[in-house]
């Protein structure tokens, strides 16, 4: 109990459809095991982020579909509380990413809701904009910490925030902890903005 009380909170914003955010979330789970950190999970939206942008037709079509999963997680949070966010993300993400299911597959939504003990009627929010104000507010809270020219995920910890890390496969154990230490270190340097190299492989789900 005392150990848990000493843990600092890392706020983690995700869009359920993003495979790279999924990889980072798996890493975050490892970090929680090896560092005195606990994650608090928040919804953000690639559909909101890309509103008004000139996008390729295929990516625009994906953004149209991206509303559903984000709205579902947001509705679950609004109506059933913060504690359901991570379990619902896990249930959706497992089906979308390692499972390869379509992000607009209604059966995925219902299966995920049943898995975490939420009412199937929440599916109606995937095509409704009635809770979009709170979705946009959650998105804005995360994205304003890092700027509009990044995506998902966003991690905020104490006085620092960063996009990413973009990594595959998700590091485990002490390797995950060392990566966390490095991310917090560089993000905490005033004026530090970017480290990057060309991605040579896609997400590796395990």
């Amino acid at each position: 109990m005392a150990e848990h009380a000493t843990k600092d909170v890392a706020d983690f914003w995700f869009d359920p459809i993003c495979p790279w955010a999924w990889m980072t979330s798996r890493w975050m789970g490892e970090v929680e095991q090896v560092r005195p950190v606990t994650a608090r999970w928040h919804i953000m939206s690639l559909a909101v982020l890309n509103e008004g942008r000139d996008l390729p037709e295929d990516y625009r079509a994906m953004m149209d579909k991206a509303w559903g999963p984000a709205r579902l997680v947001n509705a679950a949070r609004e109506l059933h509380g913060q504690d359901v966010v991570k379990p619902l993300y896990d249930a959706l993400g497992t089906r979308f990413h390692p499972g390869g299911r379509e992000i607009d597959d209604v059966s995925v939504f219902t299966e995920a809701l049943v898995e975490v003990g939420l009412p199937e009627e929440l599916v109606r929010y995937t095509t409704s904009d009635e809770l979009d104000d709170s979705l946009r507010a959650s998105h804005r809270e995360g994205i304003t910490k890092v700027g509009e020219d990044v995506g998902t995920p966003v991690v905020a910890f104490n006085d620092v925030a960063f996009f990413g890390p973009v990594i595959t496969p998700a590091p485990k154990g002490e390797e995950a902890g060392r990566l966390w230490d490095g991310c917090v270190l560089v993000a905490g340097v005033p004026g530090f903005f970017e480290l990057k190299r060309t991605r040579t492989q896609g997400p590796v789900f395990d």
Side-chain angles (χ1 to χ4, degrees):
M1 177 68 74
E3 180 183 354
H4 177 77
T6 65
K7 290 190 174 185
D8 288 327
V9 173
D11 288 290
F12 190 110
W13 281 264
F14 65 91
D15 185 308
I17 75 162
C18 179
W20 293 106
W22 177 253
M23 298 305 302
T24 310
S25 73
R26 302 309 92 181
W27 163 72
M28 193 71 234
E30 290 287 319
V31 171
E32 289 182 293
Q33 304 304 310
V34 296
R35 294 294 184 268
V37 176
T38 187
R40 182 166 51 205
W41 303 85
H42 308 271
I43 190 66
M44 63 182 296
S45 170
L46 289 171
V48 171
L49 182 66
N50 285 287
E51 282 183 315
R53 296 183 178 181
D54 185 16
L55 303 173
E57 185 175 345
D58 57 343
Y59 194 71
R60 169 55 59 197
M62 182 182 295
M63 290 302 96
D64 291 342
K65 295 177 181 180
W67 283 104
R71 281 170 166 164
L72 184 63
V73 174
N74 184 61
R77 176 182 62 87
E78 284 285 281
L79 300 174
H80 296 275
Q82 175 65 32
D83 288 348
V84 306
V85 172
K86 179 59 161 47
L88 184 55
Y89 178 33
D90 289 343
L92 289 168
T94 299
R95 289 166 172 80
F96 290 151
H97 304 304
R101 304 279 290 278
E102 294 295 325
I103 63 173
D104 59 345
D105 185 344
V106 175
S107 66
V108 169
F109 302 150
T110 56
E111 289 170 19
L113 290 167
V114 169
E115 179 180 321
V116 300
L118 290 171
E120 294 179 48
E121 302 85 74
L122 287 176
V123 170
R124 77 174 186 84
Y125 289 98
T126 62
T127 56
S128 168
D129 64 2
E130 62 190 279
L131 297 179
D132 280 3
D133 284 351
S134 60
L135 171 59
R136 291 176 185 278
S138 181
H139 172 88
R140 185 167 56 252
E141 182 184 6
I143 205 68
T144 54
K145 296 180 182 299
V146 290
E148 295 282 341
D149 59 344
V150 301
T152 178
V154 169
V155 179
F157 180 69
N158 292 338
D159 296 326
V160 302
F162 50 88
F163 159 70
V166 177
I167 189 164
T168 192
K172 299 184 184 303
E174 185 56 24
E175 184 182 10
R178 289 195 301 270
L179 178 59
W180 172 258
D181 297 340
C183 288
V184 173
L185 175 64
V186 298
V189 175
F192 175 82
F193 296 110
E194 187 171 354
L195 278 175
K196 192 171 184 178
R197 56 186 173 189
T198 301
R199 290 199 298 262
T200 58
Q201 66 181 115
V204 176
F205 306 120
D206 55 15

